[in-house]
Amino acid sequence: GANQPWVSYGQDFGNNQSNSIRCELDQCALNVSAAGGNSVRMWVFVEGKSIPEFDSNGNCVGTDATSTLVDDVREYARYAAQENVFLVLC
């Protein structure tokens, strides 16, 4: 397996991530699979700068400003599964 810290520090998922990030994530899963690996440990959250979304009182009010985090993670997990790569989200 492999460790995949981030493509874009703390911004790989949610907030309408760019297609270039998604392409790099997919390439990581493909590379792991091609090398005979079967897992990727991926960091999702960091210090909370961009995800999850907090209100002015510091309360968590959502996954991200555009509510795309769950769909983004789901799409990446599906692609990784097609490559027989298991994701471990941190």
Side-chain angles (χ1 to χ4, degrees):
N3 288 318
Q4 173 69 50
W6 299 277
V7 171
S8 179
Y9 184 74
Q11 299 179 34
D12 291 343
F13 302 106
N15 295 316
N16 292 319
Q17 68 160 310
S18 72
N19 285 333
S20 64
I21 290 174
R22 175 61 197 280
C23 290
E24 288 188 52
L25 292 172
D26 289 354
Q27 188 63 51
C28 174
L30 183 62
N31 291 346
V32 168
S33 179
N38 64 358
S39 61
V40 172
R41 181 170 62 172
M42 174 102 205
W43 278 258
V44 177
F45 298 102
V46 289
E47 69 281 323
K49 193 173 187 175
S50 62
I51 56 172
E53 184 179 13
F54 295 96
D55 67 13
S56 60
N57 294 318
N59 298 311
C60 184
V61 295
T63 58
D64 59 291
T66 61
S67 298
T68 61
L69 184 137
V70 173
D71 288 338
D72 291 347
V73 171
R74 193 175 288 141
E75 286 179 29
Y76 182 47
R78 285 182 182 138
Y79 179 81
Q82 289 175 1
E83 298 301 325
N84 295 314
V85 172
F86 179 75
L87 294 182
V88 178
L89 302 176
C90 302

